Amino acid sequence: MKITISEILKHPDIGKDVEINGWVRTKRGNRNITFIALNDGSTIHNIQVVLDMAEFEEEMVRNVTTGSCIKVNGILSSSPGKEQQVELHANKIHIYGTADPDSYPLQKKGHSLEFLREIAHLRPRTNTFGAVLRIRHAMSYAIHKYFNDHGFYYLHTPIITASDCEGAGEMFRVTTLDPKNPPLLEDGSVNFNEDFFGRETSLTVSGQLEGELAALALSNIYTFGPTFRAENSNTPRHLAEFWMIEPEMAFYDIHDNMDLAEDFLGYLIRYAMDHCGEDLRFLCNMYDKELMDRLNFTINSKYERITYSQAVDILTQSGEKFEYPVSWGVDLQTEHERFLVERHYKKPVMVTNYPRDIKAFYMKQNDDGKTVRGLDVLFPKIGEIIGGSQREEDYHKLCQRITELSLPEKDLWWYLETRRFGTAPHSGFGLGFERLLLFITGMGNIRDVIPFPRFPKNANF
RNA sequence: UCCUCAGUAGCUCAGUUGGUUAGAGCAUCUGGCUGUUAACCAGAGGGUCCAAGGUUCGAGUCCUUGCUGAGGAGCCA
């Protein structure tokens, strides 16, 4: 195995002959000595490579510029400099690839995140995106580890779906028909019988319905995959293509659901602090001075659990002037959620028992005939990080709701059969992966926590 | 999609009530410097002032439209 800069800095073996590969961040020095800061992405830290210019051709060293990629052989030595403990005294350098200083867009100095979005193909080479991408990896791993350790099975739900009743937003259509000349029916509409799947299909907006099928067989499952929403959303919290984690558990009621959500989020934040300390400290210093405090505070807080009705009472009695007035029956607006989380409770809040008219058909109806067992988990700074519910397991109540909302019951026959055959109480929720990363990294825009963001008018790279 | 703000050098930005040849820092190039730390010192090159119209003797600056970006809102994870 090749040795990485991360490993060398972690276990420096002074006097050892090593070979490292990486991209040049900066070069400085004079006629006698040159210093190269080299980074291979294995850690936020660079290793300092020292060149005694008497041993190297000036022309070769001239081509080692910011952005170029090199291989260095040399002796690991303790460094007399203040900024690092070890450095590499080079005796051989090979240039894999030069980077023309006139056209290479990344400089030694900081760039705006907006500019880096325009060069998303190169931004992984920056400290910021190196840190974000390493944290993103660690969080992916932690999610699988958490569920595996808790007896959940990873379920792969379809990405292409013919179900347009998932109710989570506008969908991207998937087709192989000729856009200029599609087959038509007599009434002039497109004949999707001739399409690839023989019917109209789209990219999934949620794996939940299929997740429920598996939970009612394996008891505890989760999905973790790409999700697509064709909403024209232009905000720092929305993407057209994002990754979602959706656990679904048989025999869990809404309280079990909340227990899991709180334990799961706490585990992930703790995992990041335990395993991504250096990257988090960098992001804290550069972008968000309160990041560490907020993460610490969150894992040490018990989440507040309130009902929608309680939330409405708190908001109406707060004396606060809201742009959107609060009354029982209307959905909570962002300003209301922020008030609850950031000003009233000052910690994460879980809201349940929403009016049934503002929530999806599959949520379990309460006995009061007015509310359903939906669940939103609200976080400081980013708002809704989780949406979920206990599901309606009663066949007749579910059918009744589908009829009331005029949903196409015939397209849901497979979903309804789980309620006809051995139905069971069950619950689940969806966690937006990039929303989690926003919270954990302290980044302000969701387009900066995914390598290649997709949003309205942009599918570059 | 709506509201607000912005767009000037490769990057980050300044540019006065509309007035001569549009500036700075960094980056780049050249030279200097015996261990630097986003090195430092000196010099040089570098501009479709987002685009198209308009007002004016005169527009980077004012007006209209469009494009792009950011923040807020809606939708939601």
Side-chain angles (χ1 to χ4, degrees):
Chain A
M1 284 271 280
K2 302 270 185 189
I3 190 160
T4 62
I5 291 171
S6 170
E7 291 166 78
I8 288 176
L9 295 179
K10 225 180 284 172
H11 310 288
D13 193 352
I14 302 296
K16 195 182 177 193
D17 206 335
V18 298
E19 176 180 304
I20 57 172
N21 301 284
W23 291 268
V24 174
R25 286 292 171 80
T26 69
K27 186 181 71 171
R28 51 185 173 262
N30 53 47
R31 194 184 288 154
N32 304 295
I33 190 164
T34 291
F35 301 93
I36 298 167
L38 198 66
N39 186 281
D40 67 356
S42 61
T43 161
I44 189 106
H45 299 297
N46 305 325
I47 192 165
Q48 172 158 279
V49 177
V50 185
L51 277 63
D52 180 350
M53 289 305 286
E55 298 174 26
F56 292 92
E57 277 179 41
E58 203 178 314
E59 189 55 31
M60 187 279 294
V61 176
R62 188 186 296 269
N63 284 319
V64 176
T65 57
T66 298
S68 60
C69 186
I70 61 175
K71 172 168 79 180
V72 184
N73 294 84
I75 308 288
L76 266 188
S77 314
S78 57
S79 175
K82 291 191 186 106
E83 308 282 316
Q84 63 278 319
Q85 245 112 65
V86 292
E87 60 189 22
L88 186 65
H89 287 201
N91 49 46
K92 201 167 107 193
I93 288 188
H94 170 71
I95 300 177
Y96 290 118
T98 57
D100 177 15
D102 278 331
S103 45
Y104 185 63
L106 290 172
Q107 301 166 10
K108 301 179 189 181
K109 283 239 168 186
H111 296 86
S112 68
L113 294 169
E114 291 83 2
F115 174 68
L116 293 175
R117 254 169 245 154
E118 294 169 10
I119 52 165
H121 58 305
L122 294 172
R123 68 179 185 171
R125 297 187 188 186
T126 63
N127 286 332
T128 299
F129 284 88
V132 167
L133 294 176
R134 283 186 295 273
I135 293 169
R136 190 180 165 103
H137 158 79
M139 287 298 94
S140 303
Y141 175 76
I143 285 159
H144 287 301
K145 179 167 168 53
Y146 178 89
F147 284 127
N148 185 63
D149 290 353
H150 287 75
F152 284 63
Y153 297 105
Y154 181 26
L155 179 77
H156 297 100
T157 49
I159 291 179
I160 297 172
T161 177
S163 157
D164 63 352
C165 33
E166 287 165 351
E170 293 296 311
M171 304 177 88
F172 290 103
R173 204 161 57 229
V174 173
T175 181
T176 55
L177 295 178
D178 182 351
K180 274 178 288 194
N181 188 25
L184 299 178
L185 293 167
E186 279 178 18
D187 66 2
S189 63
V190 174
N191 182 4
F192 286 103
N193 287 330
E194 291 191 26
D195 205 346
F196 186 88
F197 294 106
R199 58 193 298 187
E200 197 169 356
T201 50
S202 306
L203 295 176
T204 183
V205 294
S206 166
Q208 180 198 319
L209 299 189
E210 289 91 348
E212 286 186 50
L213 312 182
L216 293 173
L218 301 173
S219 290
N220 298 324
I221 65 94
Y222 70 104
T223 73
F224 185 2
T227 309
F228 307 88
R229 305 267 167 98
E231 301 287 347
N232 190 12
S233 293
N234 290 286
T235 85
R237 294 181 305 282
H238 290 86
L239 291 166
E241 176 183 283
F242 63 101
W243 289 66
M244 188 154 66
I245 300 103
E246 295 180 286
E248 194 70 37
M249 302 75 65
F251 319 116
Y252 271 50
D253 67 14
I254 188 71
H255 303 287
D256 301 322
N257 205 17
M258 285 191 276
D259 290 343
L260 179 73
E262 185 168 349
D263 188 61
F264 179 48
L265 288 168
Y267 175 87
L268 295 178
I269 296 166
R270 213 168 290 117
Y271 189 95
M273 298 188 79
D274 290 346
H275 294 84
C276 308
E278 291 179 338
D279 289 325
L280 286 175
R281 272 193 294 280
F282 172 82
L283 295 172
C284 186
N285 289 337
M286 296 299 287
Y287 296 101
D288 183 355
K289 297 283 186 258
E290 279 123 48
L291 176 60
M292 294 306 231
D293 292 340
R294 193 161 54 243
L295 295 179
N296 258 314
F297 177 76
T298 304
I299 55 180
N300 290 317
S301 301
K302 192 109 183 69
Y303 298 4
E304 195 67 36
R305 300 186 183 194
I306 59 171
T307 63
Y308 168 87
S309 300
Q310 287 173 304
V312 169
D313 287 345
I314 290 164
L315 291 165
T316 49
Q317 286 162 24
S318 69
E320 195 75 15
K321 273 190 219 140
F322 294 111
E323 189 186 340
Y324 294 86
V326 184
S327 66
W328 203 97
V330 300
D331 209 353
L332 299 180
Q333 303 293 316
T334 299
E335 57 173 342
H336 306 140
E337 295 176 346
R338 292 191 69 149
F339 178 85
L340 291 171
V341 172
E342 292 169 14
R343 305 208 12 226
H344 190 80
Y345 288 113
K346 299 192 169 69
K347 59 178 174 175
V349 177
M350 301 203 269
V351 185
T352 54
N353 294 329
Y354 284 84
R356 72 173 207 168
D357 292 339
I358 59 173
K359 288 293 182 183
F361 75 96
Y362 49 73
M363 293 192 182
K364 183 175 175 62
Q365 301 172 47
N366 281 316
D367 293 338
D368 63 11
K370 294 191 302 188
T371 59
V372 292
R373 293 194 189 172
L375 161 68
D376 280 359
V377 181
L378 309 176
F379 258 37
K381 218 184 153 209
I382 56 169
E384 185 180 341
I385 193 170
I386 277 179
S389 68
Q390 184 171 344
R391 319 305 189 190
E392 181 57 75
E393 81 267 25
D394 184 285
Y395 176 75
H396 297 290
K397 286 184 181 169
L398 193 54
C399 286
Q400 183 200 335
R401 206 64 195 114
I402 287 171
T403 306
E404 281 170 12
L405 295 169
S406 350
L407 296 172
E409 189 174 332
K410 63 173 170 40
D411 290 343
L412 283 168
W413 65 272
W414 45 274
Y415 184 70
L416 288 165
E417 284 210 346
T418 55
R419 273 66 167 174
R420 288 175 58 202
F421 306 124
T423 191
H426 63 290
S427 298
F429 59 79
L431 168 68
F433 186 49
E434 284 78 16
R435 293 242 175 118
L436 172 77
L437 287 172
L438 272 185
F439 184 75
I440 287 178
T441 61
M443 299 296 283
N445 192 315
I446 203 164
R447 297 170 188 181
D448 296 329
V449 295
I450 189 167
F452 305 104
R454 269 80 181 96
F455 50 91
K457 301 275 184 285
N458 188 297
N460 295 333
F461 311 106

